[in-house]
Coordinates of all heavy atoms in Angstrom, one line a residue:
M407 N -20.6 -17.0 -21.9 CA -19.9 -17.1 -20.6 C -19.0 -15.9 -20.5 O -18.3 -15.6 -21.4 CB -19.2 -18.4 -20.4 CG -18.6 -18.5 -19.0 SD -17.6 -19.9 -18.6 CE -18.1 -21.2 -19.5
R408 N -18.9 -15.2 -19.3 CA -18.1 -14.1 -19.1 C -16.7 -14.5 -18.6 O -16.6 -15.3 -17.7 CB -18.8 -13.2 -18.1 CG -18.0 -11.9 -17.9 CD -18.8 -11.0 -16.9 NE -17.9 -9.9 -16.5 CZ -18.0 -9.3 -15.4 NH1 -18.9 -9.7 -14.5 NH2 -17.1 -8.4 -15.1
E409 N -15.7 -14.0 -19.3 CA -14.3 -14.3 -18.8 C -13.9 -13.3 -17.8 O -14.1 -12.1 -18.0 CB -13.4 -14.3 -20.0 CG -13.6 -15.5 -20.9 CD -12.5 -15.5 -22.0 OE1 -11.4 -15.1 -21.8 OE2 -12.8 -16.0 -23.1
T410 N -13.2 -13.7 -16.8 CA -12.6 -12.8 -15.8 C -11.1 -12.7 -16.0 O -10.4 -13.8 -16.0 CB -12.9 -13.3 -14.4 OG1 -14.3 -13.5 -14.3 CG2 -12.4 -12.4 -13.3
T411 N -10.6 -11.5 -16.1 CA -9.2 -11.3 -16.2 C -8.6 -11.0 -14.9 O -9.1 -10.0 -14.2 CB -8.9 -10.2 -17.3 OG1 -9.5 -10.5 -18.5 CG2 -7.4 -10.0 -17.4
I412 N -7.6 -11.7 -14.5 CA -6.9 -11.4 -13.2 C -5.6 -10.7 -13.5 O -4.8 -11.3 -14.3 CB -6.7 -12.7 -12.4 CG1 -8.1 -13.3 -12.0 CG2 -5.9 -12.4 -11.1 CD1 -8.0 -14.6 -11.4
T413 N -5.4 -9.5 -13.0 CA -4.1 -8.8 -13.3 C -3.3 -9.0 -12.0 O -3.7 -8.8 -10.9 CB -4.4 -7.3 -13.5 OG1 -5.3 -7.2 -14.7 CG2 -3.1 -6.6 -13.8
L414 N -2.0 -9.4 -12.2 CA -1.1 -9.5 -11.1 C -0.1 -8.4 -11.2 O 0.4 -8.1 -12.3 CB -0.4 -10.9 -11.2 CG -1.3 -12.1 -11.1 CD1 -0.5 -13.4 -11.3 CD2 -2.0 -12.1 -9.7
L415 N 0.2 -7.8 -10.1 CA 1.2 -6.7 -10.0 C 2.6 -7.3 -9.4 O 2.6 -8.0 -8.4 CB 0.7 -5.6 -9.1 CG -0.6 -5.0 -9.4 CD1 -1.0 -4.0 -8.3 CD2 -0.6 -4.3 -10.7
N416 N 3.7 -6.9 -10.1 CA 5.0 -7.3 -9.5 C 5.3 -6.2 -8.5 O 4.6 -5.3 -8.2 CB 6.0 -7.4 -10.6 CG 6.3 -6.1 -11.4 OD1 6.1 -5.0 -10.9 ND2 6.7 -6.3 -12.6
M417 N 6.5 -6.4 -7.9 CA 6.9 -5.5 -6.8 C 7.0 -4.0 -7.3 O 6.5 -3.1 -6.6 CB 8.3 -5.9 -6.2 CG 8.8 -5.0 -5.1 SD 7.7 -4.9 -3.7 CE 8.2 -6.4 -2.8
R418 N 7.6 -3.8 -8.4 CA 7.7 -2.4 -8.9 C 6.3 -1.8 -9.2 O 6.1 -0.6 -8.9 CB 8.6 -2.4 -10.2 CG 10.0 -2.6 -9.8 CD 10.9 -2.4 -11.0 NE 12.2 -2.7 -10.7 CZ 13.3 -2.4 -11.4 NH1 13.1 -1.8 -12.5 NH2 14.5 -2.7 -11.0
Q419 N 5.4 -2.5 -9.7 CA 4.1 -2.0 -10.0 C 3.4 -1.7 -8.7 O 2.6 -0.7 -8.6 CB 3.3 -3.0 -10.9 CG 3.8 -3.1 -12.3 CD 3.2 -4.3 -13.0 OE1 3.0 -5.4 -12.4 NE2 3.0 -4.2 -14.3
L420 N 3.5 -2.6 -7.7 CA 2.9 -2.4 -6.4 C 3.5 -1.1 -5.7 O 2.7 -0.3 -5.2 CB 3.1 -3.6 -5.5 CG 2.5 -3.5 -4.1 CD1 1.0 -3.4 -4.2 CD2 2.9 -4.6 -3.3
Q421 N 4.8 -1.0 -5.8 CA 5.4 0.2 -5.2 C 4.9 1.5 -5.9 O 4.6 2.5 -5.2 CB 7.0 0.1 -5.4 CG 7.6 -0.9 -4.5 CD 9.1 -1.0 -4.8 OE1 9.4 -1.6 -5.8 NE2 9.9 -0.5 -3.9
A422 N 4.7 1.5 -7.2 CA 4.2 2.6 -7.9 C 2.8 2.9 -7.5 O 2.4 4.0 -7.3 CB 4.4 2.4 -9.4
A423 N 2.0 1.8 -7.4 CA 0.6 2.0 -7.1 C 0.4 2.6 -5.7 O -0.5 3.4 -5.5 CB -0.2 0.7 -7.2
L424 N 1.2 2.2 -4.8 CA 1.1 2.7 -3.4 C 2.0 3.8 -3.1 O 2.0 4.4 -2.0 CB 1.4 1.5 -2.4 CG 0.6 0.3 -2.5 CD1 1.0 -0.8 -1.5 CD2 -0.9 0.6 -2.3
N425 N 2.8 4.2 -4.0 CA 3.8 5.3 -3.8 C 4.7 5.0 -2.6 O 4.9 5.9 -1.8 CB 3.1 6.7 -3.7 CG 4.0 7.8 -3.9 OD1 5.1 7.7 -4.5 ND2 3.7 9.0 -3.3
I426 N 5.2 3.8 -2.6 CA 6.2 3.4 -1.6 C 7.4 3.0 -2.3 O 7.4 2.1 -3.2 CB 5.6 2.2 -0.8 CG1 4.4 2.6 0.0 CG2 6.7 1.6 0.2 CD1 3.7 1.5 0.7
R427 N 8.5 3.6 -1.9 CA 9.8 3.3 -2.6 C 10.5 2.1 -2.1 O 11.3 1.5 -2.8 CB 10.7 4.5 -2.5 CG 10.2 5.7 -3.2 CD 11.2 6.8 -3.2 NE 10.6 8.0 -3.8 CZ 11.3 9.0 -4.2 NH1 12.6 9.1 -4.0 NH2 10.7 10.1 -4.7
S428 N 10.4 1.8 -0.8 CA 11.1 0.7 -0.2 C 10.5 -0.6 -0.3 O 9.3 -0.8 0.1 CB 11.3 1.1 1.3 OG 11.9 0.0 2.0
R429 N 11.2 -1.6 -0.8 CA 10.7 -3.0 -0.8 C 10.5 -3.5 0.6 O 9.6 -4.2 0.9 CB 11.7 -3.8 -1.6 CG 11.8 -3.5 -3.1 CD 13.0 -4.2 -3.7 NE 12.9 -5.6 -3.6 CZ 12.5 -6.4 -4.6 NH1 12.2 -5.9 -5.8 NH2 12.5 -7.7 -4.5
S430 N 11.4 -3.1 1.5 CA 11.4 -3.7 2.8 C 10.1 -3.2 3.5 O 9.5 -3.9 4.3 CB 12.6 -3.3 3.6 OG 12.7 -1.9 3.8
T431 N 9.6 -2.0 3.2 CA 8.4 -1.5 3.8 C 7.2 -2.3 3.3 O 6.3 -2.7 4.1 CB 8.2 0.0 3.3 OG1 9.2 0.8 3.9 CG2 6.8 0.5 3.9
I432 N 7.2 -2.7 2.1 CA 6.2 -3.6 1.5 C 6.2 -4.9 2.3 O 5.2 -5.4 2.8 CB 6.3 -3.9 0.0 CG1 6.3 -2.6 -0.8 CG2 5.4 -4.9 -0.5 CD1 4.9 -2.0 -0.9
Y433 N 7.4 -5.5 2.5 CA 7.5 -6.8 3.2 C 7.0 -6.7 4.6 O 6.4 -7.6 5.2 CB 8.9 -7.3 3.1 CG 9.3 -7.8 1.7 CD1 10.5 -7.3 1.2 CD2 8.5 -8.6 0.9 CE1 10.9 -7.7 -0.1 CE2 8.9 -9.0 -0.4 CZ 10.1 -8.5 -0.9 OH 10.4 -8.9 -2.1
K434 N 7.4 -5.6 5.3 CA 7.0 -5.3 6.7 C 5.5 -5.2 6.8 O 4.9 -5.7 7.7 CB 7.7 -4.1 7.2 CG 9.1 -4.3 7.5 CD 9.8 -3.0 8.0 CE 11.3 -3.1 8.1 NZ 11.9 -1.9 8.4
M435 N 4.9 -4.5 5.8 CA 3.4 -4.3 5.8 C 2.7 -5.7 5.7 O 1.7 -6.0 6.3 CB 3.0 -3.4 4.7 CG 3.4 -1.9 5.0 SD 3.0 -0.8 3.7 CE 1.2 -0.7 3.8
V436 N 3.2 -6.5 4.8 CA 2.7 -7.9 4.6 C 2.8 -8.7 5.9 O 1.9 -9.4 6.3 CB 3.3 -8.6 3.4 CG1 2.9 -10.0 3.3 CG2 2.9 -7.9 2.1
A437 N 4.0 -8.6 6.5 CA 4.3 -9.4 7.7 C 3.3 -9.0 8.9 O 2.9 -9.9 9.6 CB 5.7 -9.2 8.2
R438 N 3.0 -7.8 9.0 CA 2.0 -7.4 10.0 C 0.6 -7.3 9.6 O -0.3 -6.7 10.2 CB 2.5 -6.1 10.7 CG 2.4 -4.9 9.9 CD 2.8 -3.6 10.7 NE 2.4 -2.5 10.0 CZ 3.3 -1.7 9.3 NH1 4.5 -1.9 9.3 NH2 2.8 -0.6 8.7
N439 N 0.3 -7.9 8.4 CA -1.1 -8.0 7.9 C -1.7 -6.7 7.6 O -2.9 -6.5 7.7 CB -2.0 -8.9 8.8 CG -1.5 -10.3 8.9 OD1 -1.1 -10.9 7.9 ND2 -1.7 -10.9 10.0
A440 N -0.8 -5.7 7.3 CA -1.3 -4.4 6.9 C -1.5 -4.2 5.4 O -2.0 -3.2 4.9 CB -0.3 -3.3 7.4
L441 N -1.2 -5.3 4.7 CA -1.3 -5.3 3.2 C -1.6 -6.7 2.8 O -1.1 -7.6 3.5 CB 0.1 -4.9 2.6 CG 0.2 -4.6 1.1 CD1 -0.6 -3.3 0.8 CD2 1.6 -4.3 0.7
P442 N -2.4 -6.9 1.8 CA -2.8 -8.2 1.4 C -1.5 -9.0 1.0 O -0.6 -8.5 0.5 CB -3.6 -8.0 0.1 CG -4.2 -6.7 0.2 CD -3.1 -5.9 1.0
P443 N -1.5 -10.3 1.3 CA -0.3 -11.2 1.0 C -0.2 -11.4 -0.5 O -1.2 -11.4 -1.2 CB -0.6 -12.5 1.7 CG -2.1 -12.5 1.8 CD -2.6 -11.1 2.0
P444 N 1.0 -11.6 -0.9 CA 1.3 -11.9 -2.4 C 0.9 -13.3 -2.7 O 0.8 -14.2 -1.9 CB 2.8 -11.6 -2.5 CG 3.3 -12.0 -1.2 CD 2.3 -11.6 -0.2
C445 N 0.8 -13.5 -4.0 CA 0.7 -14.9 -4.5 C 2.2 -15.3 -4.9 O 2.9 -14.5 -5.4 CB -0.1 -14.9 -5.8 SG -1.8 -14.3 -5.6
I446 N 2.5 -16.6 -4.6 CA 3.8 -17.1 -4.9 C 3.8 -17.7 -6.3 O 3.1 -18.8 -6.4 CB 4.3 -18.0 -3.8 CG1 4.4 -17.3 -2.5 CG2 5.7 -18.6 -4.2 CD1 4.6 -18.2 -1.3
I447 N 4.4 -17.1 -7.3 CA 4.4 -17.6 -8.6 C 5.4 -18.8 -8.8 O 5.2 -19.8 -9.4 CB 4.7 -16.5 -9.6 CG1 3.6 -15.4 -9.5 CG2 4.7 -17.0 -11.0 CD1 2.2 -15.8 -9.7
N448 N 6.6 -18.5 -8.3 CA 7.7 -19.5 -8.3 C 8.7 -19.1 -7.1 O 8.3 -18.3 -6.3 CB 8.4 -19.6 -9.6 CG 9.0 -18.2 -10.1 OD1 9.4 -17.4 -9.2 ND2 9.0 -18.0 -11.4
R449 N 9.8 -19.7 -7.1 CA 10.7 -19.5 -6.0 C 11.1 -18.0 -5.8 O 11.4 -17.6 -4.8 CB 12.0 -20.3 -6.1 CG 11.8 -21.8 -5.9 CD 13.1 -22.5 -5.9 NE 14.0 -22.1 -6.9 CZ 15.3 -22.3 -6.9 NH1 15.9 -22.9 -5.9 NH2 16.0 -21.9 -7.9
R450 N 11.2 -17.3 -6.9 CA 11.7 -15.9 -6.9 C 10.6 -14.9 -7.3 O 10.9 -13.7 -7.4 CB 12.9 -15.7 -7.8 CG 14.1 -16.6 -7.3 CD 15.3 -16.3 -8.2 NE 15.5 -15.0 -8.6 CZ 16.4 -14.2 -8.0 NH1 17.1 -14.7 -7.0 NH2 16.6 -13.0 -8.4
G451 N 9.4 -15.4 -7.5 CA 8.4 -14.5 -8.0 C 7.2 -14.3 -7.1 O 6.4 -15.3 -6.8
L452 N 7.0 -13.1 -6.6 CA 5.8 -12.7 -5.9 C 5.0 -11.8 -6.7 O 5.5 -10.9 -7.3 CB 6.2 -12.1 -4.6 CG 7.0 -12.8 -3.6 CD1 7.4 -12.0 -2.4 CD2 6.3 -14.1 -3.1
R453 N 3.7 -12.0 -6.7 CA 2.8 -11.1 -7.4 C 1.6 -10.8 -6.5 O 1.1 -11.7 -5.7 CB 2.3 -11.7 -8.7 CG 3.3 -12.0 -9.7 CD 4.0 -10.8 -10.2 NE 5.0 -11.1 -11.3 CZ 6.2 -11.3 -11.1 NH1 6.7 -11.3 -9.9 NH2 7.1 -11.5 -12.1
W454 N 1.0 -9.6 -6.6 CA -0.2 -9.2 -5.8 C -1.3 -9.1 -6.8 O -1.2 -8.5 -7.9 CB 0.0 -7.9 -5.1 CG 0.9 -8.0 -3.9 CD1 0.4 -8.1 -2.6 CD2 2.3 -8.1 -3.8 NE1 1.5 -8.2 -1.7 CE2 2.6 -8.2 -2.5 CE3 3.3 -8.0 -4.8 CZ2 3.9 -8.2 -2.0 CZ3 4.6 -8.1 -4.3 CH2 4.9 -8.2 -3.0
R455 N -2.5 -9.6 -6.4 CA -3.7 -9.4 -7.3 C -4.1 -8.0 -7.3 O -4.2 -7.4 -6.2 CB -4.9 -10.3 -6.7 CG -4.7 -11.7 -7.0 CD -5.9 -12.5 -6.4 NE -5.7 -13.9 -6.3 CZ -5.2 -14.4 -5.2 NH1 -5.0 -13.7 -4.1 NH2 -5.0 -15.7 -5.1
E456 N -4.3 -7.4 -8.4 CA -4.7 -6.0 -8.5 C -6.0 -5.8 -7.8 O -6.2 -4.8 -7.1 CB -4.8 -5.6 -10.0 CG -5.1 -4.1 -10.2 CD -5.1 -3.7 -11.6 OE1 -5.7 -4.5 -12.4 OE2 -4.6 -2.6 -11.9
S457 N -6.9 -6.7 -7.9 CA -8.2 -6.6 -7.2 C -8.1 -6.6 -5.7 O -8.8 -5.8 -5.0 CB -9.1 -7.8 -7.6 OG -8.6 -9.0 -7.3
D458 N -7.1 -7.4 -5.1 CA -6.9 -7.3 -3.7 C -6.4 -6.0 -3.3 O -6.8 -5.4 -2.2 CB -5.9 -8.4 -3.3 CG -6.4 -9.8 -3.4 OD1 -7.7 -10.0 -3.6 OD2 -5.6 -10.8 -3.3
I459 N -5.4 -5.4 -4.0 CA -4.9 -4.1 -3.7 C -5.9 -3.0 -3.8 O -6.0 -2.1 -3.0 CB -3.6 -3.8 -4.6 CG1 -2.5 -4.9 -4.3 CG2 -3.1 -2.4 -4.3 CD1 -2.1 -5.0 -2.9
S460 N -6.7 -3.1 -4.9 CA -7.8 -2.1 -5.1 C -8.8 -2.1 -3.9 O -9.2 -1.1 -3.4 CB -8.5 -2.3 -6.4 OG -7.6 -2.1 -7.5
S461 N -9.2 -3.3 -3.5 CA -10.1 -3.4 -2.4 C -9.5 -2.9 -1.1 O -10.2 -2.3 -0.3 CB -10.5 -4.9 -2.2 OG -11.2 -5.4 -3.3
W462 N -8.2 -3.2 -0.9 CA -7.5 -2.8 0.3 C -7.5 -1.2 0.3 O -7.7 -0.6 1.3 CB -6.1 -3.3 0.3 CG -5.3 -2.9 1.5 CD1 -5.3 -3.3 2.7 CD2 -4.3 -1.9 1.4 NE1 -4.4 -2.7 3.5 CE2 -3.8 -1.8 2.7 CE3 -3.8 -1.0 0.4 CZ2 -2.8 -0.9 3.1 CZ3 -2.7 -0.2 0.8 CH2 -2.3 -0.1 2.1
I463 N -7.1 -0.6 -0.8 CA -7.1 0.9 -0.9 C -8.5 1.4 -0.6 O -8.6 2.4 0.1 CB -6.5 1.3 -2.3 CG1 -5.1 1.0 -2.4 CG2 -6.8 2.8 -2.5 CD1 -4.5 1.2 -3.7
A464 N -9.5 0.8 -1.2 CA -10.9 1.3 -1.0 C -11.3 1.2 0.4 O -12.1 2.1 0.9 CB -11.8 0.6 -1.9
G465 N -10.8 0.3 1.2 CA -11.1 0.1 2.6 C -10.4 1.0 3.5 O -10.7 1.0 4.7
L466 N -9.4 1.8 3.1 CA -8.6 2.6 3.9 C -9.5 3.8 4.4 O -10.4 4.3 3.6 CB -7.4 3.2 3.2 CG -6.3 2.2 2.9 CD1 -5.2 2.9 2.0 CD2 -5.7 1.6 4.1
P467 N -9.4 4.2 5.6 CA -10.2 5.3 6.1 C -9.9 6.6 5.4 O -8.7 6.9 5.1 CB -9.9 5.4 7.6 CG -8.6 4.7 7.8 CD -8.5 3.7 6.6
A468 N -10.9 7.5 5.3 CA -10.7 8.8 4.7 C -10.0 9.7 5.7 O -10.1 9.5 6.9 CB -12.0 9.4 4.2
A469 N -9.4 10.7 5.2 CA -8.7 11.7 6.1 C -9.6 12.5 6.9 O -9.2 13.0 8.0 CB -7.8 12.6 5.3
G470 N -10.8 12.7 6.5 CA -11.8 13.5 7.3 C -11.8 14.9 6.9 O -12.4 15.7 7.6
G471 N -11.2 15.3 5.8 CA -11.3 16.6 5.3 C -10.1 17.5 5.8 O -9.3 17.1 6.6
A472 N -10.1 18.7 5.2 CA -9.0 19.6 5.5 C -8.9 20.1 6.9 O -7.9 20.4 7.4 CB -9.2 20.8 4.5
Q473 N -10.1 20.2 7.6 CA -10.1 20.7 9.0 C -9.3 19.8 9.9 O -8.5 20.2 10.7 CB -11.5 20.9 9.5 CG -12.2 22.0 8.8 CD -13.6 22.2 9.3 OE1 -14.2 21.3 10.0 NE2 -14.3 23.3 9.0
S474 N -9.5 18.4 9.7 CA -8.8 17.5 10.6 C -7.3 17.5 10.3 O -6.4 17.4 11.1 CB -9.3 16.1 10.4 OG -9.1 15.6 9.1
L475 N -6.9 17.8 9.0 CA -5.5 17.9 8.7 C -4.9 19.2 9.3 O -3.8 19.2 9.8 CB -5.3 18.0 7.1 CG -5.6 16.7 6.4 CD1 -5.5 16.9 4.9 CD2 -4.6 15.6 6.8
E476 N -5.6 20.3 9.3 CA -5.2 21.5 10.0 C -5.0 21.3 11.5 O -4.0 21.7 12.0 CB -6.1 22.6 9.7 CG -6.2 23.1 8.3 CD -7.3 24.1 8.0 OE1 -7.9 24.6 9.0 OE2 -7.4 24.5 6.9
R477 N -5.9 20.6 12.1 CA -5.8 20.3 13.5 C -4.6 19.4 13.8 O -3.9 19.6 14.8 CB -7.1 19.7 14.0 CG -8.2 20.7 14.3 CD -9.4 20.0 15.0 NE -10.4 20.0 14.0 CZ -11.1 18.9 13.7 NH1 -11.0 17.8 14.4 NH2 -12.1 19.0 12.8
A478 N -4.4 18.5 13.0 CA -3.3 17.6 13.2 C -1.9 18.3 13.0 O -1.0 18.1 13.8 CB -3.3 16.4 12.2
S479 N -1.8 19.2 12.1 CA -0.6 20.0 11.9 C -0.4 21.0 13.0 O 0.7 21.2 13.5 CB -0.5 20.7 10.5 OG -1.5 21.6 10.4
D480 N -1.5 21.5 13.5 CA -1.4 22.5 14.7 C -0.9 21.7 15.9 O 0.0 22.2 16.6 CB -2.7 23.1 15.0 CG -3.2 24.1 14.0 OD1 -2.3 24.6 13.2 OD2 -4.4 24.5 14.0
G481 N -1.4 20.5 16.1 CA -0.9 19.7 17.3 C 0.5 19.4 17.1 O 1.3 19.4 18.1
A482 N 1.0 19.1 15.9 CA 2.4 18.7 15.7 C 3.3 19.9 16.0 O 4.4 19.8 16.6 CB 2.6 18.2 14.3
E483 N 2.9 21.1 15.6 CA 3.7 22.3 15.8 C 3.7 22.6 17.3 O 4.8 23.0 17.8 CB 3.1 23.5 15.0 CG 3.3 23.4 13.5 CD 2.5 24.5 12.8 OE1 1.9 25.3 13.4 OE2 2.7 24.5 11.6
R484 N 2.6 22.5 18.0 CA 2.7 22.7 19.4 C 3.6 21.8 20.2 O 4.3 22.1 21.1 CB 1.2 22.7 20.0 CG 0.4 23.9 19.6 CD -0.9 23.9 20.4 NE -1.8 24.7 19.7 CZ -3.0 24.4 19.2 NH1 -3.4 23.1 19.4 NH2 -3.7 25.2 18.6
S485 N 3.5 20.5 19.8 CA 4.4 19.5 20.5 C 5.8 19.7 20.2 O 6.7 19.3 20.9 CB 3.9 18.1 20.1 OG 4.3 17.9 18.7
Q486 N 6.2 20.4 19.1 CA 7.6 20.7 18.8 C 8.0 22.1 19.4 O 9.1 22.5 19.2 CB 7.8 20.7 17.3 CG 7.6 19.4 16.7 CD 7.7 19.4 15.1 OE1 7.9 20.5 14.6 NE2 7.6 18.3 14.5
G487 N 7.1 22.7 20.1 CA 7.5 24.0 20.7 C 7.4 25.2 19.8 O 7.9 26.2 20.2
K488 N 6.8 25.1 18.7 CA 6.6 26.2 17.8 C 5.4 27.0 18.2 O 4.4 26.5 18.5 CB 6.5 25.7 16.3 CG 7.7 25.0 15.8 CD 7.5 24.5 14.4 CE 8.7 23.8 13.9 NZ 8.5 23.3 12.5
P489 N 5.6 28.3 18.1 CA 4.4 29.2 18.5 C 3.3 29.1 17.4 O 3.6 28.9 16.3 CB 5.0 30.6 18.5 CG 6.3 30.5 17.7 CD 6.7 29.1 17.8
S490 N 2.1 29.2 17.9 CA 0.9 29.1 16.9 C 0.6 30.5 16.3 O 0.8 31.5 16.8 CB -0.4 28.7 17.6 OG -0.2 27.8 18.6

């Protein structure tokens, strides 16, 4: 029989994995269903399944390549009144 290991991430590990410094940003993302909900371990312990976070990251849309990034930055410069 194959054993399945479930890895749980604490807040600091989640922040490092997502490169988000603010805990409140994590909580806001969970509240608006933009991030998978945590598992409640006890009254003070929240943990996120690593598999849920990995699946969520894999489901994020790709940027579309360097050309779309260049177009986005050009549009931002024009809207701020900077010459092209």
Side-chain angles (χ1 to χ4, degrees):
M407 187 182 332
R408 182 177 169 209
E409 290 186 31
T410 304
T411 302
I412 299 172
T413 303
L414 298 175
L415 304 174
N416 63 28
M417 178 61 82
R418 288 186 184 194
Q419 291 168 325
L420 181 66
Q421 287 174 290
L424 300 179
N425 196 22
I426 296 175
R427 293 184 185 197
S428 171
R429 294 168 60 100
S430 63
T431 298
I432 300 286
Y433 293 130
K434 287 175 188 175
M435 291 175 73
V436 169
R438 66 176 195 257
N439 295 322
L441 191 65
C445 301
I446 300 171
I447 303 300
N448 57 33
R449 288 188 317 159
R450 296 181 45 97
L452 298 177
R453 300 291 185 271
W454 283 262
R455 287 181 196 93
E456 186 178 42
S457 59
D458 289 350
I459 299 302
S460 296
S461 298
W462 177 78
I463 291 171
L466 291 175
Q473 290 178 346
S474 65
L475 291 176
E476 289 173 8
R477 278 188 253 133
S479 65
D480 287 345
E483 288 175 359
R484 285 191 201 119
S485 67
Q486 294 175 359
K488 295 181 181 177
S490 322

